[in-house]
């Protein structure tokens, strides 16, 4: 996602947004990307996501394992959320789900 290499989308890292810090944010598309490690507080994440949505941001969360194992699929989901999706040659392994629901196989979370 560096240097606008993802279809010209500009992402900034570790951006303060109100009382929170987003892992990555594309301000033009009001899109927040969170890379979730193994230790996350679901209640804190839900409060944070609710606040970000109240500020008209869309939040995508990806487990670090998903990013490492299926990077092309993660990037495609980001493209879709930003409205710059390309035609897929094959279907994605899951789909975007609201916070708290599993979007990926259990062995990847």
């Amino acid at each position: 996602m560096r240097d606008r290499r993802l279809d010209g989308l500009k992402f900034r890292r570790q951006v303060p947004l109100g009382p929170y810090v987003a892992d990555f944010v594309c301000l033009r598309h009001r899109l927040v990307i969170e890379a979730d490690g193994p230790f996350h507080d679901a209640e804190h994440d839900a409060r944070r996501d609710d606040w970000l949505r109240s500020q008209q941001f869309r939040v995508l969360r990806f487990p670090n394992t998903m990013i490492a194992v299926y990077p092309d699929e993660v990037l495609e989901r980001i493209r879709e959320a930003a409205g710059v999706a390309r035609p897929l040659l094959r279907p994605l392994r899951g789909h975007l789900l609201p916070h708290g629901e599993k979007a990926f196989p259990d062995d990847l979370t």
Side-chain angles (χ1 to χ4, degrees):
M1 294 192 327
R2 273 188 270 198
D3 300 325
R4 298 182 193 218
R5 284 186 233 158
L6 183 61
D7 294 324
L9 297 172
K10 180 176 179 158
F11 282 91
R12 294 173 45 202
R13 292 184 64 206
Q14 299 297 302
V15 178
L17 296 172
Y20 303 103
V21 176
D23 289 342
F24 300 92
V25 66
C26 177
L27 293 171
R28 179 177 182 195
H29 293 279
R30 309 237 5 122
L31 181 60
V32 172
I33 309 298
E34 291 295 318
D36 291 344
F39 304 105
H40 264 268
D41 180 343
E43 288 181 30
H44 175 77
D45 288 348
R47 282 191 306 273
R48 170 194 172 102
D49 291 354
D50 288 343
W51 186 88
L52 289 166
R53 280 192 291 272
S54 78
Q55 304 301 306
Q56 282 68 57
F57 283 97
R58 180 158 185 200
V59 180
L60 299 181
R61 290 186 169 277
F62 298 99
N64 286 343
T65 312
M66 181 71 179
I67 295 167
V69 176
Y70 302 111
D72 292 337
E73 292 183 18
V74 169
L75 293 175
E76 187 59 33
R77 289 172 190 219
I78 294 168
R79 284 185 189 99
E80 287 174 0
V84 295
R86 300 178 194 169
L88 289 176
L89 299 177
R90 61 182 169 73
L92 298 178
R93 296 181 200 287
H95 47 60
L96 296 174
L97 297 173
H99 181 72
E101 296 181 37
K102 292 196 176 206
F104 309 110
D106 288 333
D107 60 327
L108 295 177
T109 56

